[in-house]
Amino acid sequence: MDVMGDKATLLETGRFVQPADFSESTGDLSQPMDRDETGEAAEEARLRVAAETGDVEAMSVLGALLLRRGDLDGAEPHLRAATAAGDRAAANNLGVLLYQRGYADDAAGWWRIAAVAGSAAAAHALGRHHRERGDEPAAEYWLRQSAEQGHALGAYALADLLEHRGDAGAEPWMRTAAERGHREAAYRLARTLDRRLGPEGDIGDDHGAGAEAEQWYRQAAARGHRRAALHLGAILERRGALKEAGRWYLTSAKDGEARAACALGFLLRDAGDTESAAVWWLRAAQDGDGNAANALGALHAERGEPQTAERWYRAAMDAGDDNGAHNLGLLCAEQGRTAQAEQWYRRAAYAGHREAANALAILLLQGGDTAGAEPWFSKAAEAGSVDAAFNLGILFAGRGEEAVALRWYERAAAAGHTEAALQVGIARLRDGDEATAERHLRCAAGGGSAEAAYRLATVLDARRPPVPAHSLGEPVHTEKSECEEWYERAASQGHRRAQVRVGMLAAARGDVVEAARWYREAAEAGSRNGAFNLGLLLAREGSDPEAAVWWARAADAGHGRAALRLALVYARRGELAEGQRWADRAVELGPAEVSERAARLRDALREELSA
């Protein structure tokens, strides 16, 4: 029989209940059961005297007291005598006694007598007995009798039976049991409400249901339900109430919930307390939590302890966590153990781990096995791996199948992949669909792609009205346009063409210092246009020698105009041979206009040298 209830109920535990819960289980005892030993001894003596005089109530309570203590032989005569006198509590407890002796059918007979006499506890016990026997109609009848009398355990057992059938009437009875303090009912009611909110239990979608779920989790957790404390901690963590979340995780973890210990470890790690995190991960991992074992493996890998990391990854794998095999693959790949990495990736991939399938495909692709890589990329992408969808786009683009590549790029972009959005933007620009291109470029640029920010800026730049003519150093406009802001974002991320463009825009505003800064940054990063423009700026400021240095760097990188400028510099200095050499270089580099001018200069220098 599937048992999910509190340990307070006899039929759920298969043993007699703890003293503090006995009255809840039997339901008909008239005396409290939490007195100290001295008081209980005095009470027992009083009850014995009264029972010997024929007091039925005393017989019933004395029998219950002895039953609670485990003295079945001593309890039975008193319970039978009280039952014979018509005491329903005694009949119920006699059923409990017989059930403990292994006489379930005899116990059911006495429970029936008590239940017919109005005992809600006996009706509950009888309903559970019939459910164990597979007689669900009889079970429902008696459990409903118990529940309708306000018995919390009866309401819970009835809800459990109805829920097992898929009956919509289960929830009201689960709520009734929860309202009467049944902690398992409160937990299961919270889980039902939680499932309606989606996989993450996002209370933003339905604040009322989310708040109610949290309320029931709190009630169950306050009564010691460790899984409720775990879920309550997760809700609070998502909300950002980390301190309170940590307290509930701690409560649950101390009660033996491995997932709570693992979650507490991640909370401590994020707070910077790695040592304490490791303690809780260790505790969770030793209790069989694969996620905690993976976390320990990653921690030891970061510390440069690959052997210990591997041991914990294997432990995660043994716990049934496929991430363990995936992480083993990553560890082996980092160490250059390609064959072992492939082995572990395959194991995780065959188990359905999508990122392992993607990693396996990359490994095969790097080894030149394109045919072997494609199915794994496809499997990973179909399973929801965004990186795999992007990689399929790269694979098909490399084959020249642009239409297929674009479909995969669009799929990855729709899931938020920055580089995929950039590729879609580029493709749409190529097709002339500027509106769609801009939308994807904005997504990619917002995701941190410097190239997307630069291309978006060029799209916006092309729409701007022409800038009026100006003289160097004369301000034309002071406000930055949106395109300049995107250029600057790309430039600040090290995009060399964007740095050159920002420098040009700064020069257009008359900000020579800012322009020189961006040109220099681009030039030092290897931009020949940056070096050429920096040379122009320096020459206009009268720094010809330094300008020549930057032009030489640009010309060496293949910039024809820079070579022509150098030829003119050396010609003016009278260094005709050097000037002719740079003129020859400019002719080679072009473009056509530069080649034509450089050829005329070269010929003039040649004539001068031969004169």
Side-chain angles (χ1 to χ4, degrees), residues 454-504:
Y454 171 73
R455 288 179 180 267
L456 174 60
T458 61
V459 170
L460 299 172
D461 205 359
R463 298 175 188 166
R464 292 199 307 162
V467 178
H470 67 283
S471 301
L472 187 65
E474 177 186 342
V476 177
H477 61 280
T478 55
E479 293 185 3
K480 292 181 181 179
S481 62
E482 186 188 5
C483 77
E484 189 169 356
E485 290 174 355
W486 285 112
Y487 277 134
E488 286 189 356
R489 180 179 293 196
S492 65
Q493 293 176 258
H495 195 286
R496 293 183 299 179
R497 284 177 294 168
Q499 289 168 342
V500 173
R501 187 61 183 150
V502 171
M504 293 171 67

Side-chain angles (χ1 to χ4, degrees), residues 421 424-426 428-429 433-442:
V424 174
I426 292 171
R428 293 308 181 192
L429 275 179
D433 186 354
E434 190 173 291
T436 305
E438 181 182 341
R439 178 166 57 84
H440 281 94
L441 290 174
R442 284 187 183 277

Side-chain angles (χ1 to χ4, degrees), residues 282-335:
L282 178 61
R283 182 168 175 171
Q286 289 173 337
D287 286 340
D289 190 282
N291 195 22
N294 272 314
L296 280 173
L299 181 64
H300 287 288
E302 288 173 7
R303 291 175 176 175
E305 302 168 355
Q307 291 182 332
T308 307
E310 183 171 340
R311 179 167 61 85
W312 283 113
Y313 288 149
R314 287 179 181 274
M317 200 166 52
D318 292 341
D321 193 325
D322 298 328
N323 282 316
H326 177 229
N327 290 333
L328 274 171
L330 292 173
L331 189 67
C332 291
E334 287 173 4
Q335 296 172 343

Side-chain angles (χ1 to χ4, degrees), residues 386 389 408-422 424 440 443:
V386 180
W408 285 110
Y409 285 145
E410 286 177 331
R411 182 165 175 173
H417 195 287
T418 298
E419 290 303 312
L422 169 62
V424 174
H440 281 94
C443 290

